[in-house]
Amino acid sequence: MKTTSESTIGIVGAGIGGLVAAIALRRAGHDVVVFEQAKQFARVGADINLTPNAVRALDGLGAGEAARVTAARPSHRISRTYDTGEETSRLEMADTAEQRYGAPQLTIHRADLLAALADMFPNERVALGKRAEKIAADERGVSLSFADGTDARVGALIGADGIHSCVRTAMFGAESPRFTGIVAYRAVVPAERVAGVPNLGAFTKWWGPNPQSQIVTFPLNRGKDVFIFATTPQDSWHLESWTAPGSVEELREQYVAYHPEARALLDACDTVLKTALYERDPMPAWTKGRMALLGDAAHPMLPFMAQGAGMAIEDAVVLSRHLEGVAMADLPAALQGFETARIERASQVQLGSRGNNWLREGGNADWVYGYDAWAVPLATPAMAAAA
């Protein structure tokens, strides 16, 4: 693989945002190479919720059809009170969302979405086992040194490498996310095991006695399984991991005050994964010269609005639109335009996720779900300069 070219755009991170950006930038006419620290693609990670704004962006990329093969389409988005079970909001999704927003909500395993995206990008342009240790930029490009002793040179670099982004560190210096004092449990149970529980085909959020306590459930694998995502305050667990095992007994103990229908789902769990949740404040800038950030590298957010993947997908699409037809010499200004177009929305969602009040009592979802990354106005050079 040729990885020393100032006519190439490099992307660090082959997650959802990185692959969407790679596909979209290639469609926009750029040569793209992706550097991924993992030595191989593996089926790790969590099940994710793609709301209509994210699905519409994937559809415009040509990835939506493949994503639908294994995904479920939740029928509603329901809010319920943790102990009484009272419904405080019910929003129709599925066909209604498709008619209103141009796309449905999909719930899918992260690995299935990654596989669909990987099929759309040339394997030979993904460099695996490339953990960046040193990144240095100048007026003409960006140089990278990797842990395996190799080097690369690109004309611009996009950091899509998550909450512990090495690209962000190279751009703005070292920093650490804050532990929120919240841990999250994740589990999957066969739908047939909890067949007597209502609303299995819906995205349901049980709002707990405080903003840190909740249980979210939604269908997976075309409704064959149910995904459970539960959060609770806890100071004793600080490990952030997609794969660390938790205790099923501890999970059940945390939610003994919840409604019997919610507890029935927890009772059906055989295993559970556990992770600590971390956060950062919105950043004042995502770009610097020939480098830019997107997704969790730019705006890591708590999962309470289910928009982490959606914001990364939106970022990638809007980035590609700003860079379409742009010569490498003009890339810094185009990257600044991308930041100007995206930073206000992503920061608003980031803060809204922290507040954890989204659709609790109903309300209008249009400002989130109705966003079309393929059609929103691009930032002009004057707008970017004034930002």
Side-chain angles (χ1 to χ4, degrees):
M1 177 190 295
K2 183 181 179 182
T3 56
T4 301
S5 172
E6 291 180 354
S7 64
T8 296
I9 297 176
I11 298 175
V12 177
I16 292 170
L19 286 179
V20 172
I23 297 164
L25 287 169
R26 190 166 181 265
R27 274 192 10 169
H30 291 283
D31 179 50
V32 181
V33 60
V34 180
F35 304 107
E36 167 56 43
Q37 67 177 353
K39 295 182 178 180
Q40 61 183 11
F41 286 115
R43 192 175 178 84
V44 298
D47 302 282
I48 58 173
N49 173 28
L50 299 174
T51 48
N53 50 304
V55 178
R56 190 171 184 179
L58 291 174
D59 285 343
L61 193 70
E65 184 177 352
R68 285 166 170 79
V69 172
T70 60
R73 285 166 50 111
S75 61
H76 296 80
R77 190 196 188 285
I78 303 171
S79 291
R80 301 183 68 179
T81 303
Y82 78 100
D83 51 357
T84 65
E86 175 192 3
E87 284 193 16
T88 56
S89 74
R90 175 180 282 255
L91 184 67
E92 289 191 26
M93 300 302 291
D95 291 345
T96 300
E98 190 152 17
Q99 293 165 9
R100 185 177 183 95
Y101 304 117
Q105 178 184 23
L106 299 178
T107 49
I108 186 173
H109 194 285
R110 181 176 182 272
D112 291 335
L113 178 56
L114 285 173
L117 294 171
D119 285 343
M120 298 180 65
F121 189 75
N123 289 337
E124 64 271 16
R125 301 303 290 163
V126 179
L128 297 172
K130 297 297 180 182
R131 182 168 63 84
E133 290 193 328
K134 185 178 180 181
I135 299 172
D138 54 45
E139 291 184 356
R140 296 183 57 187
V142 184
S143 299
L144 301 95
S145 298
F146 301 102
D148 64 359
T150 61
D151 300 295
R153 174 80 174 171
V154 293
L157 188 68
I158 309 301
D161 49 340
I163 192 169
H164 299 296
S165 171
C166 62
V167 181
R168 183 184 58 235
T169 298
M171 292 169 66
F172 301 115
E175 59 177 341
S176 298
R178 294 189 302 273
F179 176 49
T180 60
I182 306 170
V183 298
Y185 302 92
R186 303 187 312 280
V188 177
V189 299
E192 62 182 16
R193 192 181 295 177
V194 289
V197 178
N199 299 313
L200 293 182
F203 178 102
T204 301
K205 182 167 181 175
W206 297 84
W207 296 81
N210 57 66
Q212 293 79 38
S213 179
Q214 66 174 35
I215 299 174
V216 170
T217 67
F218 54 77
L220 280 179
N221 301 323
R222 304 185 71 88
K224 296 177 183 177
D225 296 311
V226 178
F227 178 64
I228 300 167
F229 179 83
T231 63
T232 190
Q234 189 176 106
D235 290 328
S236 59
W237 181 283
H238 289 198
L239 177 63
E240 183 183 32
S241 170
W242 289 112
T243 58
S247 163
V248 173
E249 291 74 20
E250 178 186 271
L251 169 68
R252 294 169 184 156
E253 289 171 2
Q254 295 294 329
Y255 302 94
V256 292
Y258 274 61
H259 191 273
E261 291 174 9
R263 287 188 284 110
L265 294 166
L266 305 186
D267 290 342
C269 295
D270 292 327
T271 60
V272 66
L273 302 178
K274 182 179 179 181
T275 186
L277 297 181
Y278 287 78
E279 67 173 349
R280 281 187 176 87
D281 294 326
M283 298 178 65
W286 301 351
T287 62
K288 187 175 184 180
R290 293 184 170 271
M291 296 191 289
L293 305 173
L294 63 77
D296 282 351
H299 44 72
M301 57 188 66
L302 295 174
F304 298 134
M305 284 179 66
Q307 288 299 315
M311 291 299 106
I313 293 167
E314 289 182 3
D315 285 348
V317 169
V318 175
L319 172 69
S320 73
R321 293 178 59 215
H322 277 86
L323 269 57
E324 185 169 6
V326 174
M328 296 302 288
D330 299 324
L331 226 59
L335 293 175
Q336 183 63 56
F338 153 70
E339 175 192 295
T340 301
R342 285 292 302 162
I343 195 167
E344 181 178 354
R345 173 174 169 82
S347 298
Q348 185 178 7
V349 173
Q350 188 178 6
L351 292 174
S353 297
R354 178 188 295 176
N356 191 23
N357 204 37
W358 169 242
L359 297 179
R360 180 171 186 164
E361 305 290 342
N364 192 320
D366 290 359
W367 75 272
V368 176
Y369 296 168
Y371 183 94
D372 185 353
W374 293 104
V376 293
L378 300 183
T380 65
M383 292 168 58

